[in-house]
Amino acid sequence: ALSGLLAGARKKLDAVGLIVVAGLAAFGGGTLRDVLLDRRPFFWVEHANWLWALVLLCLGAMLFLRKRHLGVDAAEGQAAPQPRRLLVVTERAMQWPDALGLGLFTATGTQLALAMGQPAIVAVVMGVITAVCGGVLRDIVCNDIPSAFHDHRPYAVCAFLGGWAVVGAQALGWPEGAVLLMGAGLASGLRLLALATDFRLPSWE
């Protein structure tokens, strides 16, 4: 949600636009998963308290950002000239909890699809969709190329491997909590490792 909030702030959206973009980032992947699996009600309809949490988070963050904007507005992590110079602190700090969310969304999405009797490959894809597509929708609405597709640091790949870890652990008969920790830990760990080492996938010349 915060990643959507910052993306909307950089595009100078109004309060409604910021909440919508934050909601897409937070709930978009899970909603798309539920649509593809024909699952009703949607998870945010079933657990409506998350909507209140989103609105309160956005309002609080907007008040904070108006006084101290720590976003990034520079290419390749380099500071832009004044007065457009914005520190990269917030965006870099957000990458770490975002990596944890990547693992959790991957594991829960994969587990949910397996519980519905989907084949392993479909369940893994549902996990990837849950984890990645919220950010994709956020970037599309903000008229950007989705960062998951072009920054070359593994993101969807980490979710894909984490999803297979869930499938493998569940096939071995692990307890549900251990399966969740295994899949989430692997996906998050790989993403954190990529961030720490600045590992990048090959790109087009």
Side-chain angles (χ1 to χ4, degrees), residues 112-127:
L112 190 150
L114 288 173
M116 296 181 67
Q118 298 298 326
I121 183 63
V122 174
V124 171
V125 170
M126 289 300 114

Side-chain angles (χ1 to χ4, degrees), residues 21-22 71 75 87 102 112 137 139 170 184 193 199:
V21 173
L87 300 177
L102 172 74
L112 190 150
L137 292 172
D139 293 342
Q170 189 154 314
L193 182 63
F199 175 79

Side-chain angles (χ1 to χ4, degrees), residues 147-187:
S147 59
F149 298 158
H150 78 87
D151 75 351
H152 303 295
R153 284 177 294 188
Y155 195 79
V157 172
C158 299
F160 187 75
L161 295 175
W164 281 112
V166 170
V167 171
Q170 189 154 314
L172 293 174
W174 288 21
E176 184 176 342
V179 172
L180 179 69
L181 290 175
M182 174 65 177
L186 180 62

Side-chain angles (χ1 to χ4, degrees), residues 22-203:
L24 285 173
F27 301 142
T31 302
L32 180 57
R33 174 205 65 212
D34 288 350
V35 169
L36 293 173
L37 292 176
D38 196 23
R39 180 174 180 266
R40 299 294 187 277
F42 295 148
F43 75 100
W44 51 268
V45 175
E46 189 176 6
H47 305 285
N49 286 338
W50 286 114
L51 294 176
W52 287 112
L54 174 73
V55 172
L56 293 175
L57 173 71
C58 289
L59 293 176
M62 280 187 280
L63 292 174
F64 173 78
L65 289 174
R66 285 179 65 86
K67 295 184 177 180
R68 182 174 301 182
H69 186 2
L70 298 178
V72 58
D73 194 12
E76 301 299 328
Q78 296 177 351
Q82 294 287 1
R84 295 177 60 246
R85 184 177 184 272
L86 296 173
L87 300 177
V88 300
V89 175
T90 300
E91 185 155 299
R92 285 183 176 173
M94 279 175 46
Q95 289 174 345
W96 301 92
D98 179 70
L100 299 178
L102 172 74
L104 185 61
F105 280 20
T106 297
T108 55
T110 304
Q111 277 189 316
L112 190 150
L114 288 173
M116 296 181 67
Q118 298 298 326
I121 183 63
V122 174
V124 171
V125 170
M126 289 300 114
V128 174
I129 287 173
T130 306
V132 175
C133 283
V136 171
L137 292 172
R138 171 203 66 209
D139 293 342
I140 289 174
V141 169
C142 290
N143 201 30
D144 292 325
I145 298 174
S147 59
F149 298 158
H150 78 87
D151 75 351
H152 303 295
R153 284 177 294 188
Y155 195 79
V157 172
C158 299
F160 187 75
L161 295 175
W164 281 112
V166 170
V167 171
Q170 189 154 314
L172 293 174
W174 288 21
E176 184 176 342
V179 172
L180 179 69
L181 290 175
M182 174 65 177
L186 180 62
S188 295
L190 290 173
R191 176 62 177 172
L192 291 171
L193 182 63
L195 291 173
T197 61
D198 199 30
F199 175 79
R200 295 174 184 267
L201 298 170
S203 60

